[in-house]
Amino acid sequence: KAGVTQTPRYLIKTRGQQVTLSCSPISGHRSVSWYQQTPGQGLQFLFEYFSETQRNKGNFPGRFSGRQFSNSRSEMNVSTLELGDSALYLCASSLGTGTFTGELFFGEGSRLTVL
Amino acid sequence: AQSVTQLDSQVPVFEEAPVELRCNYSSSVSVYLFWYVQYPNQGLQLLLKYLSGSTLVKGINGFEAEFNKSQTSFHLRKPSVHISDTAEYFCAVSEPGGSYIPTFGRGTSLIVHP
């Protein structure tokens, strides 16, 4: 079974630009969550999508947005990039329903550097 | 809201020595508990989980953890570590019947010296 795939793995942007990150979940998983990981703040929850709807949201500004497609693939977008947005962005998939316990399956992340 | 405290940000240890990574959580209600490991430049991988039943949980790579409800703790242990265990370890908790979105601790960096 293929794991969670995130693209691109690495990217460099400049302040003010925008970026789109992509995540393909494990086949059959309908929930996709996004996390921002930084050395100072650890893992912070951005949002969760289930069946194309945002089901949960963390405390991030509106510059951070996401969406989920009918095949469960998800994208997140960050507009008007700031230096503080430099981080590893992790996507995690899960069943999201039924016997779901909160166990997540993570991709390898997209490392964003903002200059 | 849930909170998870990993009491040590960094734990240095020599190879073949035992190790314990500590985790405490805030909730007094029923919880699910997880330990994840993150190797350099990789995502997180599940080590073990506690859902119910026996309080001693065994995971991959020889790790185990003990759930202590009265102390709201879920400490991770390994009797003999290897160089390859050098990684970041995260404790996480989710609440059954809630959003199930897990709350993560800040992580503990395990550094195994030869």
Side-chain angles (χ1 to χ4, degrees):
Chain A
K1 203 177 202 182
V4 178
T5 303
Q6 291 189 245
T7 56
R9 288 291 316 277
Y10 302 92
L11 64 167
I12 300 173
K13 294 285 187 179
T14 56
R15 280 180 298 174
Q17 287 187 311
Q18 73 164 13
V19 66
T20 299
L21 309 177
S22 179
C23 173
S24 293
I26 291 171
S27 178
H29 284 188
R30 294 163 62 190
S31 169
V32 173
S33 299
W34 289 90
Y35 288 82
Q36 182 195 64
Q37 184 180 17
T38 58
Q41 299 296 322
L43 274 162
Q44 292 192 288
F45 172 70
L46 282 154
F47 29 65
E48 182 225 4
Y49 285 85
F50 179 80
S51 291
E52 302 180 65
T53 301
Q54 188 180 87
R55 188 164 67 170
N56 290 286
K57 188 178 187 305
N59 293 323
F60 276 81
R63 299 185 298 107
F64 293 82
S65 63
R67 60 178 175 168
Q68 186 179 35
F69 302 96
S70 58
N71 62 357
S72 293
R73 190 178 70 86
S74 177
E75 289 181 348
M76 67 162 282
N77 184 276
V78 188
S79 63
T80 320
L81 284 166
E82 301 176 0
L83 294 179
D85 297 332
S86 293
L88 181 67
Y89 290 88
L90 290 164
C91 166
S93 80
S94 61
L95 291 169
T97 187
T99 57
F100 180 49
T101 62
E103 178 181 350
L104 300 177
F105 297 81
F106 284 86
E108 293 192 311
S110 292
R111 183 165 296 281
L112 170 65
T113 302
V114 182
L115 302 176
Chain B
Q2 277 281 1
S3 70
V4 177
T5 303
Q6 291 185 241
L7 295 158
D8 304 295
S9 59
Q10 204 172 81
V11 173
V13 64
F14 286 106
E15 194 173 20
E16 297 183 8
V19 71
E20 178 179 82
L21 306 184
R22 297 179 293 170
C23 172
N24 286 87
Y25 60 95
S26 63
S27 176
S28 60
V29 300
S30 178
V31 293
Y32 295 144
L33 295 156
F34 308 87
W35 275 100
Y36 289 85
V37 60
Q38 183 180 34
Y39 299 104
N41 297 316
Q42 293 187 25
L44 279 68
Q45 174 187 358
L46 184 70
L47 268 180
L48 49 78
K49 60 187 176 187
Y50 171 80
L51 305 180
S52 65
S54 172
T55 57
L56 184 62
V57 180
K58 293 192 183 296
I60 62 172
N61 301 342
F63 283 93
E64 63 181 31
E66 185 152 21
F67 169 55
N68 188 318
K69 187 174 183 179
S70 62
Q71 297 189 3
T72 59
S73 69
F74 191 54
H75 300 333
L76 181 70
R77 301 186 185 103
K78 186 169 183 178
S80 176
V81 294
H82 302 287
I83 295 285
S84 59
D85 292 323
T86 295
E88 193 82 14
Y89 292 79
F90 292 91
C91 180
V93 59
S94 68
E95 289 186 13
S99 72
Y100 290 99
I101 300 297
T103 300
F104 285 84
R106 287 278 186 105
T108 297
S109 178
L110 176 63
I111 302 168
V112 182
H113 297 288

